[in-house]
Amino acid sequence: MSLALGTRHGCVMQSEIRTMSIACAKAGGINLSQGVCDTPVPREVSGSVARAVAEGCNTYTHYAGLKALREAIALKQKRFSGQDVDPESEVIVSAGATGAMYCAFQALLSPGDEVIVFEPFYGYHVSTLVAAEAVPVSVPLALPGWSFTAHDLERAVTSRTRGIIVNTPANPSGKVFSREDLEVIAAFAERYDLFVFTDEIYEHFLYDGHRHTSFASLPGMKARTITVSGFSKTFSITGWRLGYAICDARWASAIGYFNDLVYVCAPSPLQAAVAEGMRLLDDSYYRALSREYVKKRDRFCDALRQAGLSPHVPEGAYYVLADTGDLPGRSATRKAMYILEKTGLASVPGSAFFSEGRGDDLVRFCFAKEDAVLDEACRRLALLRQGS
């Protein structure tokens, strides 16, 4: 038989995050690998689903999403970033932030276009670029502080460079790009006429006084920025698959057409529930997220230190990269499996977030867990130090 897989299948192989989640399930462990965020859904959001279904919100929506949700997104962007957004022409609701990013890449990139990504990167950004037949080009961030310079960007640019991805707060590093960082990127994007694709889904998870600056709010940047975010993390609804893109109307229509082709629309009753939840929740809810999660971060990082795994303490998001110290194994995958075998805790090999040959001395943990689960995870980490 001469049948064979197509050439694109290699870019969508199972991620190491899902691989570790499956291994964790088999072991009956605690999954700190995937960012599933199993904290409670706010009642203002969850309580609106049944009502939306009962009121008949069960059919296809406009390909760009329910008008009420697009209006809520525009109001939120104005409230938190000061940006004026037209909900009729500049917002596309999609099947999660990854869905919005995928449609943006399909609409705006051509085969062979190069897109700069900061490393460590979120693997789905890279895989989604490759699925669009674009070429990711890494710019490594330097420790301490996951820093970069304008010179680092200049070394990565070529005549084929079409865009750059900015993930802030970042997965997996927890870096919050400062306004100064973003101004360096803005000058670079303007100099080379690049699209800037931002992933801002962790915008409300901020610690130690760090502030989120939405890239499109910088002077002159709105026209070239595709702002991607969503509700999975903020409302603990990762399985609802609701995200969005905000951008200039010139790009939004093309992104919307791909959204229609691939997804038709995001689930309509869930869109309605989130729109209602956003209307009911005030700013105190979002501020409370940072207060709640900084406690989780600090408790978990302390446990990592006591276990001999030195953490790179995140400024935002809800992941922590930790040095593997003297754990056995030559690869990050082997070290992550050792942790799972010894403690029942699943992490992600650091190599999943770096180009080949890097990241083998790191693992990533997710601390978006209810307190009782996180306490048990901290207790189990101590088994590494005990050598049990």
Side-chain angles (χ1 to χ4, degrees):
M1 184 170 65
S2 60
L3 296 175
L5 290 167
T7 57
R8 292 188 184 90
H9 83 280
C11 69
V12 291
M13 298 292 281
Q14 182 169 277
S15 74
E16 288 195 73
I17 296 173
R18 287 204 176 275
T19 298
M20 290 305 298
S21 293
I22 292 168
C24 180
K26 288 180 179 178
I30 297 175
N31 189 356
L32 303 183
S33 57
Q34 195 169 6
V36 293
C37 193
D38 58 7
T39 49
V41 180
R43 289 191 302 273
E44 293 85 349
V45 176
S46 61
S48 301
V49 178
R51 184 165 59 253
V53 172
E55 292 175 355
C57 190
N58 303 301
T59 60
Y60 299 138
T61 72
H62 187 281
Y63 67 78
L66 283 177
K67 182 178 180 181
L69 182 53
R70 286 182 278 128
E71 289 175 343
I73 291 167
L75 285 172
K76 188 220 79 165
Q77 207 69 6
K78 178 67 173 179
R79 194 158 104 205
F80 289 105
S81 299
Q83 300 172 54
D84 292 313
V85 175
D86 181 1
E88 292 292 331
S89 64
E90 296 181 331
V91 180
I92 302 294
V93 176
S94 189
T98 299
M101 191 77 80
Y102 178 79
C103 292
F105 291 165
Q106 292 291 335
L108 303 178
L109 300 176
S110 299
D113 283 347
E114 294 179 356
V115 177
I116 293 171
V117 296
F118 290 103
E119 182 180 305
F121 47 70
Y122 176 47
Y124 275 46
H125 291 160
V126 170
S127 296
T128 306
L129 281 173
V130 176
E133 299 185 70
V135 180
V137 176
S138 293
V139 169
L141 296 172
L143 289 170
W146 305 110
S147 63
F148 71 98
T149 66
H151 181 62
D152 295 330
L153 296 175
E154 292 289 343
R155 286 189 299 181
V157 73
T158 75
S159 60
R160 297 182 298 278
T161 306
R162 178 72 166 163
I164 184 169
I165 297 176
V166 179
N167 178 200
T168 183
N171 174 11
S173 68
K175 175 182 173 63
V176 176
F177 283 70
S178 67
R179 188 177 182 89
E180 291 72 23
D181 287 335
L182 298 179
E183 286 171 348
V184 170
I185 296 169
F188 176 75
E190 193 164 43
R191 185 178 309 120
Y192 293 101
D193 196 21
L194 306 179
F195 281 116
V196 180
F197 302 96
T198 72
D199 181 343
E200 303 180 23
I201 199 163
Y202 299 101
E203 60 192 301
H204 298 297
F205 297 84
L206 300 161
Y207 317 125
D208 306 326
H210 288 280
R211 298 175 61 86
H212 174 68
T213 301
S214 186
F215 189 85
S217 69
L218 296 180
M221 288 300 110
K222 181 181 177 181
R224 67 176 67 254
T225 304
I226 292 78
T227 303
V228 173
S229 192
F231 310 104
S232 294
K233 319 300 183 179
T234 305
F235 297 145
S236 300
I237 50 173
T238 54
W240 289 25
R241 308 313 304 136
L242 288 174
Y244 57 86
I246 300 173
C247 59
D248 190 278
R250 289 174 294 173
W251 325 128
S253 57
I255 293 170
Y257 297 152
F258 274 99
N259 188 58
D260 185 30
L261 173 66
V262 179
Y263 306 111
V264 180
C265 66
S268 52
L270 303 184
Q271 289 191 54
V274 167
E276 178 67 2
M278 292 176 74
R279 186 183 70 80
L280 295 173
L281 291 167
D282 60 23
D283 290 4
S284 65
Y285 172 80
Y286 301 94
R287 289 193 296 268
L289 283 176
S290 292
R291 291 196 300 271
E292 176 186 359
Y293 275 80
V294 75
K295 294 176 184 176
K296 296 179 187 292
R297 179 202 69 171
D298 291 347
R299 186 158 73 252
F300 192 69
C301 285
D302 283 345
L304 286 170
R305 291 187 190 96
Q306 293 170 23
L309 305 180
S310 179
H312 296 279
V313 179
E315 301 167 344
Y318 52 55
Y319 307 96
V320 56
L321 284 170
D323 290 320
T324 51
D326 57 0
L327 292 183
R330 293 185 177 181
S331 69
T333 299
R334 186 56 243 162
K335 292 173 183 178
M337 289 303 300
Y338 177 84
I339 294 171
L340 179 60
E341 291 160 4
K342 289 295 182 181
T343 69
L345 299 178
S347 58
V348 183
S351 52
F353 310 106
F354 291 84
S355 47
E356 190 172 352
R358 302 187 67 219
D360 276 328
D361 57 345
L362 296 168
V363 290
R364 189 202 75 175
F365 296 93
C366 170
F367 54 85
K369 302 294 173 183
E370 291 189 289
D371 287 343
V373 176
L374 200 61
D375 287 343
E376 175 61 14
C378 291
R379 187 192 69 78
R380 293 189 185 193
L381 275 173
L383 298 174
L384 292 175
R385 176 57 77 190
Q386 296 166 11
S388 301

